[in-house]
Amino acid sequence: MNYWLMKCEPDVFSIDDLARQKVEGWYGIRNYQARNMMRDAMRIGDQVFFYHSNVKVPGIVGLMEVISKPYPDPTQFDPDHRYFDPKATPEQPRWVQVDVQYIRHTRRLISLEELKKDDSLGELPLLRRGNRLSIMPVGKSDWQRILELEAAN
DNA sequence: GCCAACGTTGGC
DNA sequence: GCCAACGTTGGC
């Protein structure tokens, strides 16, 4: 099983929205690196941290699980959608998405600042300089460490 | 709202 | 295929 962190701006879609819906197709990924990870490495059952970005206190707010294989992101075919990609066709789709299911909120916000302060998380891609990917892998030991942080306060 | 750090685009 | 210009992300 793999572990991931996926970012979303809560103004667009928040952990509360996911809790209400239970399941959401994670559409709108338009970065090749993020797509390739989703397409090539994500598996049903993988565990994911839900991360709120572009807010006053960014950080991890919940847990979710991948419940589908990657499949074509329908918004790439919709000319009226902001994620429309004129170069994508149903025959040759360019972008994929997966479905994720709500597991739970974290007990509290685990802020980016707190993650940065933890010495053992130095290799976490989220904390590497200039990493703006919206989907990032999380090592198993980092995953466990972050859950310890959650419980510690 | 600023701006660093990217990724993408397109002219050549 | 290079690279300057441009757009975007996202923390601050």
Side-chain angles (χ1 to χ4, degrees):
Chain A
M1 188 205 302
N2 295 315
Y3 299 94
W4 306 94
L5 178 144
M6 306 206 308
K7 299 179 186 174
C8 195
E9 300 185 18
D11 291 347
V12 179
F13 188 76
S14 73
I15 186 68
D16 293 332
D17 294 325
L18 182 64
R20 269 190 297 275
Q21 286 182 210
K22 306 300 181 197
V23 172
E24 168 76 347
W26 205 264
Y27 67 89
I29 300 300
R30 294 294 181 272
N31 171 283
Y32 288 104
Q33 234 183 306
R35 179 204 67 181
N36 292 348
M37 282 191 287
M38 201 161 39
R39 189 188 59 191
D40 303 332
M42 260 191 194
R43 299 286 180 271
I44 292 173
D46 284 359
Q47 304 290 112
V48 185
F49 284 132
F50 193 133
Y51 178 96
H52 280 176
S53 66
N54 229 344
V55 282
K56 260 177 283 177
V57 185
I60 292 168
V61 292
L63 275 68
M64 51 192 178
E65 179 173 333
V66 177
I67 60 162
S68 80
K69 294 181 176 179
Y71 61 96
D73 175 345
T75 64
Q76 69 191 303
F77 309 127
D78 179 357
D80 296 325
H81 202 282
R82 70 172 285 219
Y83 290 126
F84 176 61
D85 183 342
K87 291 175 182 163
T89 64
E91 294 73 30
Q92 295 236 308
R94 179 177 292 198
W95 306 108
V96 297
Q97 67 182 48
V98 296
D99 292 340
V100 293
Q101 182 170 58
Y102 176 77
I103 297 178
R104 65 176 176 88
H105 282 60
T106 48
R107 278 184 52 234
R108 59 190 182 82
L109 170 71
I110 307 165
S111 70
L112 177 62
E113 185 185 14
E114 181 178 354
L115 297 173
K116 280 180 176 170
K117 280 184 191 157
D118 191 280
D119 293 337
S120 62
L121 295 175
E123 295 305 305
L124 191 67
L126 177 72
L127 305 180
R128 305 301 284 270
R129 202 173 69 116
N131 202 332
R132 302 170 313 159
L133 280 180
S134 57
I135 299 181
M136 289 185 274
V138 176
K140 182 169 189 176
S141 60
D142 289 340
W143 177 273
Q144 286 166 347
R145 176 64 190 146
I146 291 166
L147 291 180
E148 284 175 21
L149 285 179
E150 179 198 15
N153 270 301

